[in-house]
Amino acid sequence: MTAREPRFNHHVLVDTTPLPDHIPKVKELGVSSAPLMSASFFIGARCKPYNDDYMKCKTEANGRGELDCMREGRKVTRCAASVLSDVNKHCLAQFRAHWQCLENNNQQMYQCRFYERPLNKCVFDNLGLEKVIPGTPEGTVPVHLREKQIFQRKFT
Amino acid sequence: MGVPFETLLPYGVILVMFGITGGALGGLQHMQNGGKRGRHNTDMWDRVRVPIGFLEWRGLMLTSLQQMMDRDRRLTGYLRGQSDRVEAAPGYELNSAWRCEKRFL
């Protein structure tokens, strides 16, 4: 309309109008940031096809992805919820220990390998999901499997 | 010939006052972080700057916060609150905030 820069810092609008009925509902995820960070690699292990599908849809939607890709988005949400409910069902103690450690250590994964190993083992044994860090160079030990670690806050 | 102890009284006052200030600030930080260590070095994973009036309305007095932390606040009620429930509480899907200009409100 004009060349004026929009300034979005004036007011906050909270619109409580619910979604129209013709859009299928899906429950939003209730996990907060640290549990999401803790479970992220397991979500990636199970939901990679859905996530890639959603990102491809958004790329090809030419800026209308939020509207046109809601079907794919619902699949992403449902898949992540399935992973999290499974982790909660089978590995709740290890999961809580890990995300509480993350929350207390600035959500840095390298501070919490001590709690991450039992969680990875439990999730692999019960759900069959393995943590794989994408882009790890060939022939090197992934960073979460290394025996020796130099920079880490002392804790237990 | 020793220094009389009255000479050192101001230094004692200075030390005590620094102690009180540090303790009060540390206690305030501890309270704001919900008893956890503070977040630092947070990246631009959407640094959302929410207007101060909005935060006052929510009972918070911080000026800038991160998107994920803002999401935590929407989910749990506290900026540093965490929850591992799979489904969000009812109403969460409608309480996201749109930042807009005054003339659109």
Side-chain angles (χ1 to χ4, degrees), chain B residues 1 5 8 16 22 30 33 35 38 41 45 54 58 74 77 79 81-82 88 94 97 99:
Chain B
M1 208 164 116
F5 78 94
L8 303 174
V16 167
H30 186 264
N33 282 316
N41 210 4
W45 165 238
F54 178 66
R58 304 294 302 196
R74 285 171 53 204
L79 197 64
Q82 299 289 327
L94 298 177
R99 288 171 299 139

PDB file of all heavy atoms in Angstrom, chain B residues 1 5 8 16 22 30 33 35 38 41 45 54 58 74 77 79 81-82 88 94 97 99:
ATOM      1  N   MET B   1      52.517   0.650  65.403  1.00  0.00           N
ATOM      2  CA  MET B   1      51.286   1.346  65.781  1.00  0.00           C
ATOM      3  C   MET B   1      50.139   0.865  64.881  1.00  0.00           C
ATOM      4  O   MET B   1      50.147   1.038  63.678  1.00  0.00           O
ATOM      5  CB  MET B   1      51.495   2.849  65.624  1.00  0.00           C
ATOM      6  CG  MET B   1      50.616   3.630  66.567  1.00  0.00           C
ATOM      7  SD  MET B   1      51.226   5.297  66.683  1.00  0.00           S
ATOM      8  CE  MET B   1      49.876   6.171  65.997  1.00  0.00           C
ATOM      9  N   PHE B   5      40.251   0.311  64.817  1.00  0.00           N
ATOM     10  CA  PHE B   5      39.240  -0.479  64.076  1.00  0.00           C
ATOM     11  C   PHE B   5      38.192   0.399  63.429  1.00  0.00           C
ATOM     12  O   PHE B   5      37.549   0.014  62.452  1.00  0.00           O
ATOM     13  CB  PHE B   5      38.578  -1.486  65.021  1.00  0.00           C
ATOM     14  CG  PHE B   5      37.538  -0.895  65.928  1.00  0.00           C
ATOM     15  CD1 PHE B   5      36.195  -0.927  65.557  1.00  0.00           C
ATOM     16  CD2 PHE B   5      37.892  -0.300  67.135  1.00  0.00           C
ATOM     17  CE1 PHE B   5      35.235  -0.396  66.383  1.00  0.00           C
ATOM     18  CE2 PHE B   5      36.935   0.232  67.954  1.00  0.00           C
ATOM     19  CZ  PHE B   5      35.601   0.189  67.591  1.00  0.00           C
ATOM     20  N   LEU B   8      38.302   0.752  59.671  1.00  0.00           N
ATOM     21  CA  LEU B   8      37.841  -0.311  58.783  1.00  0.00           C
ATOM     22  C   LEU B   8      36.323  -0.413  58.717  1.00  0.00           C
ATOM     23  O   LEU B   8      35.789  -1.181  57.913  1.00  0.00           O
ATOM     24  CB  LEU B   8      38.427  -1.646  59.241  1.00  0.00           C
ATOM     25  CG  LEU B   8      39.952  -1.666  59.298  1.00  0.00           C
ATOM     26  CD1 LEU B   8      40.437  -2.958  59.897  1.00  0.00           C
ATOM     27  CD2 LEU B   8      40.536  -1.476  57.917  1.00  0.00           C
ATOM     28  N   VAL B  16      29.104  -5.334  53.336  1.00  0.00           N
ATOM     29  CA  VAL B  16      27.755  -5.788  53.676  1.00  0.00           C
ATOM     30  C   VAL B  16      26.757  -5.323  52.632  1.00  0.00           C
ATOM     31  O   VAL B  16      25.869  -6.074  52.205  1.00  0.00           O
ATOM     32  CB  VAL B  16      27.378  -5.290  55.086  1.00  0.00           C
ATOM     33  CG1 VAL B  16      25.900  -5.479  55.335  1.00  0.00           C
ATOM     34  CG2 VAL B  16      28.176  -6.038  56.131  1.00  0.00           C
ATOM     35  N   GLY B  22      23.906  -8.205  46.055  1.00  0.00           N
ATOM     36  CA  GLY B  22      24.093  -9.429  45.299  1.00  0.00           C
ATOM     37  C   GLY B  22      23.099 -10.497  45.688  1.00  0.00           C
ATOM     38  O   GLY B  22      22.537 -11.165  44.827  1.00  0.00           O
ATOM     39  N   HIS B  30      16.708 -16.034  40.753  1.00  0.00           N
ATOM     40  CA  HIS B  30      16.267 -17.386  41.108  1.00  0.00           C
ATOM     41  C   HIS B  30      14.749 -17.487  41.029  1.00  0.00           C
ATOM     42  O   HIS B  30      14.180 -18.445  40.513  1.00  0.00           O
ATOM     43  CB  HIS B  30      16.758 -17.689  42.517  1.00  0.00           C
ATOM     44  CG  HIS B  30      16.515 -19.084  42.974  1.00  0.00           C
ATOM     45  ND1 HIS B  30      15.425 -19.432  43.735  1.00  0.00           N
ATOM     46  CD2 HIS B  30      17.218 -20.225  42.765  1.00  0.00           C
ATOM     47  CE1 HIS B  30      15.466 -20.729  43.969  1.00  0.00           C
ATOM     48  NE2 HIS B  30      16.545 -21.229  43.405  1.00  0.00           N
ATOM     49  N   ASN B  33      13.476 -17.365  37.398  1.00  0.00           N
ATOM     50  CA  ASN B  33      13.737 -18.572  36.631  1.00  0.00           C
ATOM     51  C   ASN B  33      13.074 -19.799  37.233  1.00  0.00           C
ATOM     52  O   ASN B  33      13.362 -20.907  36.792  1.00  0.00           O
ATOM     53  CB  ASN B  33      15.246 -18.812  36.540  1.00  0.00           C
ATOM     54  CG  ASN B  33      15.882 -17.909  35.520  1.00  0.00           C
ATOM     55  OD1 ASN B  33      15.361 -17.741  34.425  1.00  0.00           O
ATOM     56  ND2 ASN B  33      16.971 -17.299  35.881  1.00  0.00           N
ATOM     57  N   GLY B  35      13.559 -21.255  40.080  1.00  0.00           N
ATOM     58  CA  GLY B  35      14.452 -22.134  40.809  1.00  0.00           C
ATOM     59  C   GLY B  35      15.442 -22.861  39.942  1.00  0.00           C
ATOM     60  O   GLY B  35      16.205 -23.680  40.435  1.00  0.00           O
ATOM     61  N   GLY B  38      19.534 -19.939  34.914  1.00  0.00           N
ATOM     62  CA  GLY B  38      19.006 -19.054  33.894  1.00  0.00           C
ATOM     63  C   GLY B  38      19.372 -19.497  32.493  1.00  0.00           C
ATOM     64  O   GLY B  38      20.348 -20.214  32.290  1.00  0.00           O
ATOM     65  N   ASN B  41      22.632 -16.995  26.192  1.00  0.00           N
ATOM     66  CA  ASN B  41      23.100 -17.248  24.840  1.00  0.00           C
ATOM     67  C   ASN B  41      21.981 -17.793  23.952  1.00  0.00           C
ATOM     68  O   ASN B  41      22.219 -18.624  23.097  1.00  0.00           O
ATOM     69  CB  ASN B  41      24.262 -18.248  24.881  1.00  0.00           C
ATOM     70  CG  ASN B  41      25.227 -18.009  23.749  1.00  0.00           C
ATOM     71  OD1 ASN B  41      25.050 -17.058  22.997  1.00  0.00           O
ATOM     72  ND2 ASN B  41      26.225 -18.846  23.633  1.00  0.00           N
ATOM     73  N   TRP B  45      16.235 -17.996  17.298  1.00  0.00           N
ATOM     74  CA  TRP B  45      15.108 -18.913  17.068  1.00  0.00           C
ATOM     75  C   TRP B  45      13.888 -18.121  17.491  1.00  0.00           C
ATOM     76  O   TRP B  45      13.300 -18.310  18.538  1.00  0.00           O
ATOM     77  CB  TRP B  45      15.314 -20.187  17.863  1.00  0.00           C
ATOM     78  CG  TRP B  45      14.175 -21.126  18.067  1.00  0.00           C
ATOM     79  CD1 TRP B  45      13.687 -21.526  19.276  1.00  0.00           C
ATOM     80  CD2 TRP B  45      13.419 -21.820  17.095  1.00  0.00           C
ATOM     81  NE1 TRP B  45      12.683 -22.418  19.094  1.00  0.00           N
ATOM     82  CE2 TRP B  45      12.491 -22.613  17.775  1.00  0.00           C
ATOM     83  CE3 TRP B  45      13.405 -21.838  15.704  1.00  0.00           C
ATOM     84  CZ2 TRP B  45      11.574 -23.421  17.112  1.00  0.00           C
ATOM     85  CZ3 TRP B  45      12.498 -22.639  15.060  1.00  0.00           C
ATOM     86  CH2 TRP B  45      11.609 -23.419  15.759  1.00  0.00           C
ATOM     87  N   PHE B  54       1.645  -5.796  27.404  1.00  0.00           N
ATOM     88  CA  PHE B  54       1.122  -7.159  27.340  1.00  0.00           C
ATOM     89  C   PHE B  54       1.690  -8.004  28.473  1.00  0.00           C
ATOM     90  O   PHE B  54       0.974  -8.756  29.131  1.00  0.00           O
ATOM     91  CB  PHE B  54       1.486  -7.753  25.991  1.00  0.00           C
ATOM     92  CG  PHE B  54       1.049  -9.177  25.812  1.00  0.00           C
ATOM     93  CD1 PHE B  54      -0.291  -9.493  25.770  1.00  0.00           C
ATOM     94  CD2 PHE B  54       1.980 -10.180  25.691  1.00  0.00           C
ATOM     95  CE1 PHE B  54      -0.691 -10.796  25.606  1.00  0.00           C
ATOM     96  CE2 PHE B  54       1.592 -11.484  25.528  1.00  0.00           C
ATOM     97  CZ  PHE B  54       0.249 -11.788  25.482  1.00  0.00           C
ATOM     98  N   ARG B  58       0.067  -9.967  31.632  1.00  0.00           N
ATOM     99  CA  ARG B  58       0.264 -11.361  31.979  1.00  0.00           C
ATOM    100  C   ARG B  58       0.974 -11.527  33.310  1.00  0.00           C
ATOM    101  O   ARG B  58       1.249 -12.650  33.702  1.00  0.00           O
ATOM    102  CB  ARG B  58       1.087 -12.087  30.909  1.00  0.00           C
ATOM    103  CG  ARG B  58       0.532 -12.022  29.543  1.00  0.00           C
ATOM    104  CD  ARG B  58      -0.750 -12.743  29.408  1.00  0.00           C
ATOM    105  NE  ARG B  58      -0.603 -14.150  29.773  1.00  0.00           N
ATOM    106  CZ  ARG B  58      -1.483 -15.059  29.450  1.00  0.00           C
ATOM    107  NH1 ARG B  58      -2.538 -14.733  28.767  1.00  0.00           N
ATOM    108  NH2 ARG B  58      -1.313 -16.296  29.812  1.00  0.00           N
ATOM    109  N   ARG B  74       2.706 -19.826  27.357  1.00  0.00           N
ATOM    110  CA  ARG B  74       1.317 -20.073  26.966  1.00  0.00           C
ATOM    111  C   ARG B  74       0.844 -21.437  27.434  1.00  0.00           C
ATOM    112  O   ARG B  74      -0.333 -21.634  27.729  1.00  0.00           O
ATOM    113  CB  ARG B  74       1.185 -19.976  25.455  1.00  0.00           C
ATOM    114  CG  ARG B  74       1.228 -18.557  24.936  1.00  0.00           C
ATOM    115  CD  ARG B  74       1.324 -18.551  23.431  1.00  0.00           C
ATOM    116  NE  ARG B  74       0.273 -19.345  22.841  1.00  0.00           N
ATOM    117  CZ  ARG B  74       0.331 -19.907  21.651  1.00  0.00           C
ATOM    118  NH1 ARG B  74       1.409 -19.759  20.931  1.00  0.00           N
ATOM    119  NH2 ARG B  74      -0.665 -20.605  21.188  1.00  0.00           N
ATOM    120  N   GLY B  77       1.925 -21.227  31.867  1.00  0.00           N
ATOM    121  CA  GLY B  77       1.655 -20.057  32.681  1.00  0.00           C
ATOM    122  C   GLY B  77       2.895 -19.374  33.192  1.00  0.00           C
ATOM    123  O   GLY B  77       2.818 -18.273  33.710  1.00  0.00           O
ATOM    124  N   LEU B  79       7.152 -18.433  32.364  1.00  0.00           N
ATOM    125  CA  LEU B  79       8.130 -18.348  31.284  1.00  0.00           C
ATOM    126  C   LEU B  79       9.090 -19.521  31.319  1.00  0.00           C
ATOM    127  O   LEU B  79       9.536 -20.000  30.291  1.00  0.00           O
ATOM    128  CB  LEU B  79       8.904 -17.036  31.418  1.00  0.00           C
ATOM    129  CG  LEU B  79       9.665 -16.567  30.200  1.00  0.00           C
ATOM    130  CD1 LEU B  79       8.704 -16.267  29.087  1.00  0.00           C
ATOM    131  CD2 LEU B  79      10.465 -15.341  30.529  1.00  0.00           C
ATOM    132  N   GLY B  81       8.324 -22.416  32.878  1.00  0.00           N
ATOM    133  CA  GLY B  81       7.585 -23.624  33.217  1.00  0.00           C
ATOM    134  C   GLY B  81       7.736 -24.668  32.123  1.00  0.00           C
ATOM    135  O   GLY B  81       7.899 -24.341  30.954  1.00  0.00           O
ATOM    136  N   GLN B  82       7.706 -25.927  32.500  1.00  0.00           N
ATOM    137  CA  GLN B  82       7.822 -27.005  31.527  1.00  0.00           C
ATOM    138  C   GLN B  82       6.726 -28.014  31.803  1.00  0.00           C
ATOM    139  O   GLN B  82       6.312 -28.198  32.947  1.00  0.00           O
ATOM    140  CB  GLN B  82       9.178 -27.697  31.637  1.00  0.00           C
ATOM    141  CG  GLN B  82      10.353 -26.801  31.370  1.00  0.00           C
ATOM    142  CD  GLN B  82      10.466 -26.416  29.921  1.00  0.00           C
ATOM    143  OE1 GLN B  82      10.123 -27.200  29.052  1.00  0.00           O
ATOM    144  NE2 GLN B  82      10.932 -25.217  29.662  1.00  0.00           N
ATOM    145  N   ALA B  88      -2.207 -30.421  24.591  1.00  0.00           N
ATOM    146  CA  ALA B  88      -2.260 -29.128  25.254  1.00  0.00           C
ATOM    147  C   ALA B  88      -3.592 -28.962  25.972  1.00  0.00           C
ATOM    148  O   ALA B  88      -4.587 -29.598  25.635  1.00  0.00           O
ATOM    149  CB  ALA B  88      -2.086 -28.023  24.232  1.00  0.00           C
ATOM    150  N   LEU B  94      -6.011 -21.288  20.936  1.00  0.00           N
ATOM    151  CA  LEU B  94      -6.601 -19.982  20.612  1.00  0.00           C
ATOM    152  C   LEU B  94      -5.908 -18.828  21.305  1.00  0.00           C
ATOM    153  O   LEU B  94      -6.319 -17.687  21.116  1.00  0.00           O
ATOM    154  CB  LEU B  94      -8.086 -19.973  21.016  1.00  0.00           C
ATOM    155  CG  LEU B  94      -8.954 -21.001  20.293  1.00  0.00           C
ATOM    156  CD1 LEU B  94     -10.353 -20.942  20.815  1.00  0.00           C
ATOM    157  CD2 LEU B  94      -8.930 -20.733  18.809  1.00  0.00           C
ATOM    158  N   ALA B  97      -0.732 -14.951  20.194  1.00  0.00           N
ATOM    159  CA  ALA B  97      -0.856 -13.502  20.069  1.00  0.00           C
ATOM    160  C   ALA B  97      -0.396 -13.064  18.692  1.00  0.00           C
ATOM    161  O   ALA B  97       0.640 -13.514  18.205  1.00  0.00           O
ATOM    162  CB  ALA B  97      -0.025 -12.819  21.145  1.00  0.00           C
ATOM    163  N   ARG B  99       0.912  -9.942  16.682  1.00  0.00           N
ATOM    164  CA  ARG B  99       1.403  -8.585  16.883  1.00  0.00           C
ATOM    165  C   ARG B  99       0.943  -7.731  15.719  1.00  0.00           C
ATOM    166  O   ARG B  99       1.088  -8.112  14.554  1.00  0.00           O
ATOM    167  CB  ARG B  99       2.925  -8.574  16.983  1.00  0.00           C
ATOM    168  CG  ARG B  99       3.406  -9.164  18.281  1.00  0.00           C
ATOM    169  CD  ARG B  99       4.873  -9.335  18.283  1.00  0.00           C
ATOM    170  NE  ARG B  99       5.284 -10.247  17.228  1.00  0.00           N
ATOM    171  CZ  ARG B  99       6.335 -10.053  16.478  1.00  0.00           C
ATOM    172  NH1 ARG B  99       7.081  -9.002  16.646  1.00  0.00           N
ATOM    173  NH2 ARG B  99       6.651 -10.931  15.541  1.00  0.00           N
TER     174      ARG B  99
END
